[in-house]
Amino acid sequence: MASAVLRRNLSKMSLGVDVLLRSHGGRFCRTFISRRVRGSSFAIAFDIDGVILRGGTPIPGAPAALRLLYDDPSHPVQLRIPYIFLTNGGGTTEAARASELRRQLNIPVLPDQVLLGHTPFRKLADLFKNQRVLAVGKGEPDAVLRSYGFDHVVHLDSFVNEFENIDGLGRFKPWNQPSRKDGGTPVADHLSQLAGVFVVSDPVDWSRDLQVICDVLRSDGKPGTEAVPGRPQPPIFFAADDLDYQSTFPVPRLGMGAFRIALESIYNRLPSAPLQYVSYGKPQLTVYKHAEHVLHDLLTQMRSGAVVGAPKTREPMHPPFDTIYMIGDNPSTDILGAKIAGRPWFPILTRTGCYRGQSISRLYQAGKVVEDVEEAVDFIIRREGLN
C-alpha cells in the first residue's frame, strides 16, 4: 500500500500546483550581463514548438526576433527585455534544453529561462521520499526526475523487463531495443512497489504503455497481482494535457492529452474506480503564476544591475509588470491560459503552428493575431514605444 502520509499530502494538493509559486529550480549554470531597466516594465513568454521551432529547425525570422530582445542584436549579450520559454514539451532537463536552444538559435539561453511541462514535478520529490516511481515518455524521463531529487526512479523501458510477457505484443515489435541499462542496483523488497506514475513526456509505445500503466494503477503498484475493488490507485501525474502539437508534419500530431484521454477511456471501462489524475502545463493558472515569479527574478536582477544568473533573493514579490506577452500557436493552451491568468497577461497568437487562421471560439481569441513570432515581437516593441 502506498503510504497513508503520501495519500494525505496528495489529497491536499489542488491540482498539486500551489507548491510551485515560491521557487523554481537551482542556480543558473551560466551567466550573461544585463543592463539596468527603468520605467514601465513588460516581459515576454514564448512557446517553442510552432512558434520558435518546427521540429528541431528554427521557424524563419525567429532567431532574428529573439535578438531584438538584446541591446545589440548583432551581439546578443546585454539583455534589455526579460523573456522566458514557456512550453508544455519536455523529456530532458531544463539545462539540457537551454543548451539545445543556444545551439539552435545562437543566442544566450539560461536554464532558468526554460520552463518545461514537467518543471512543476520538482516540488513533488519530497512527497515520494524513499519510494519508487515510474517515469514514462520519450527522451530521458528518469534522468529528469532524478535531477529534481526523486530518490528511486525506474524508466518504463526498464520496468517492463522485470515482468515476463507484460507487453502482450512485445514479440511483434521489431523496433524493441535491448534491455535498457539504468546503472542501478537490484530493487530492494520495500521498493518493489511503485508509489506513483509520472508521464514526463509524450509516450512512444502507446499499446505497451497503456497496458503497463493500467496494470500498475489497478494493482496498487505491483503488476501481476489481482485488482482489489475499492483499493485506492497510486497517483499519476501528467506533465501536460495538449491534445495536439505542431511538428514538421503539415498538420498537428496527437500529444500527451490524447494519450491521457486514451488511458482514461480504457481504465474507466475496467472493473476499477474511475481514473484519478493530475495534469500540469498550460493552460493551468499556476503555470502562468509560476512564470511571473521566474520573470520577476530576472527583472529584479536586471534592475539592480546584477549579473543575470547570480543566486536569487527571495524578497517579497510586488507586481513588477504592466504587461506579460504570451506568444503561442495553440489557442486551447497558450491563449486560453493567458486569458485565465488575466492581467498582466496579453495573449498573442501566431499562424505558424496549430492555428492557421481557422475560426475559433471566443473563449480562445487572442489579444492580437500575427503571422509569426517576428511580427509578434515587432508589434510588442512598437506598442511599448521602444526603438
Side-chain angles (χ1 to χ4, degrees):
M1 253 344 216
S3 72
V5 173
L6 172 61
R7 295 198 187 284
R8 284 198 300 272
N9 285 336
L10 290 171
S11 70
K12 295 176 184 177
M13 296 164 56
S14 176
L15 292 182
V17 290
D18 289 342
V19 293
L20 305 179
L21 298 184
R22 294 311 308 163
S23 62
H24 57 271
R27 298 182 179 183
F28 293 120
C29 66
R30 185 179 171 189
T31 61
F32 60 83
I33 306 300
S34 65
R35 67 192 291 268
R36 192 179 298 272
V37 180
R38 298 184 179 89
S40 176
S41 64
F42 68 98
I44 306 175
F46 295 93
D47 185 29
I48 297 178
D49 295 314
V51 174
I52 302 297
L53 303 174
R54 185 175 292 114
T57 303
I59 291 174
L66 290 169
R67 285 173 171 267
L68 294 175
L69 308 182
Y70 297 83
D71 274 350
D72 183 356
S74 65
H75 185 58
V77 175
Q78 292 184 322
L79 189 65
R80 70 165 176 163
I81 299 172
Y83 75 92
I84 58 172
F85 296 100
L86 184 59
T87 175
N88 280 355
T92 188
T93 65
E94 289 78 3
R97 191 70 170 108
S99 178
E100 186 178 27
L101 288 168
R102 285 196 296 270
R103 177 182 56 80
Q104 293 167 324
L105 302 170
N106 196 28
I107 59 171
V109 179
L110 304 173
D112 278 12
Q113 284 181 285
V114 179
L115 302 186
L116 304 174
H118 48 67
T119 297
F121 289 173
R122 185 190 308 275
K123 303 307 295 182
L124 299 178
D126 286 345
L127 295 178
F128 292 88
K129 203 73 174 173
N130 297 318
Q131 299 183 85
R132 197 183 192 206
V133 298
L134 183 65
V136 183
K138 67 181 181 182
E140 297 183 320
D142 50 340
V144 168
L145 293 184
R146 290 191 187 98
S147 76
Y148 295 158
F150 287 80
D151 294 316
H152 305 284
V153 184
V154 59
H155 193 299
L156 195 144
D157 289 351
S158 297
F159 186 68
V160 296
N161 295 323
E162 299 176 17
F163 304 90
E164 188 175 1
N165 299 322
I166 193 171
D167 180 6
L169 300 175
R171 64 192 180 93
F172 299 105
K173 298 174 180 177
W175 61 85
N176 272 348
Q177 300 293 316
S179 298
R180 183 183 177 92
K181 303 295 184 183
D182 275 349
T185 56
V187 179
D189 287 343
H190 74 286
L191 291 175
S192 62
Q193 180 181 13
L194 291 172
V197 178
F198 288 81
V199 185
V200 177
S201 50
D202 291 311
V204 177
D205 188 345
W206 279 35
S207 69
R208 181 199 67 178
D209 295 1
L210 289 168
Q211 176 68 74
V212 173
I213 292 174
C214 283
D215 288 338
V216 169
L217 299 182
R218 296 181 70 217
S219 64
D220 198 35
K222 298 190 74 170
T225 59
E226 291 292 331
V228 178
R231 174 183 289 175
Q233 66 160 76
I236 180 169
F237 303 90
F238 294 87
D241 206 32
D242 298 52
L243 179 65
D244 55 14
Y245 66 95
Q246 187 60 53
S247 69
T248 53
F249 197 72
V251 296
R253 304 288 82 196
L254 295 177
M256 191 182 298
F259 179 85
R260 193 267 305 161
I261 291 170
L263 175 64
E264 186 174 20
S265 177
I266 294 168
Y267 191 83
N268 289 352
R269 286 177 174 266
L270 298 173
S272 56
L275 180 69
Q276 302 295 314
Y277 65 90
V278 175
S279 288
Y280 291 85
K282 298 172 291 184
Q284 296 289 345
L285 172 62
T286 47
V287 170
Y288 290 80
K289 293 301 182 183
H290 180 52
E292 290 179 27
H293 281 266
V294 176
L295 287 164
H296 171 260
D297 281 338
L298 187 59
L299 181 63
T300 298
Q301 294 175 72
M302 292 170 65
R303 281 179 166 170
S304 68
V307 175
V308 174
K312 295 172 283 295
T313 61
R314 290 263 59 96
E315 62 182 49
M317 178 178 170
H318 302 287
F321 298 109
D322 296 322
T323 311
I324 302 176
Y325 296 94
M326 176 71 236
I327 304 177
D329 70 301
N330 193 326
S332 64
T333 56
D334 305 314
I335 305 308
L336 177 60
K339 295 183 73 171
I340 291 173
R343 294 184 63 184
W345 290 87
F346 184 102
I348 301 178
L349 180 62
T350 71
R351 293 190 176 96
T352 50
C354 292
Y355 178 72
R356 299 294 177 87
Q358 64 270 32
S359 176
I360 56 176
S361 165
R362 187 173 184 179
L363 180 65
Y364 305 127
Q365 289 178 0
K368 178 71 174 179
V369 179
V370 296
E371 289 299 320
D372 53 30
V373 68
E374 192 171 27
E375 183 180 338
V377 171
D378 180 67
F379 164 77
I380 292 170
I381 288 175
R382 287 187 288 105
R383 189 172 189 260
E384 296 293 335
L386 300 181
N387 293 326

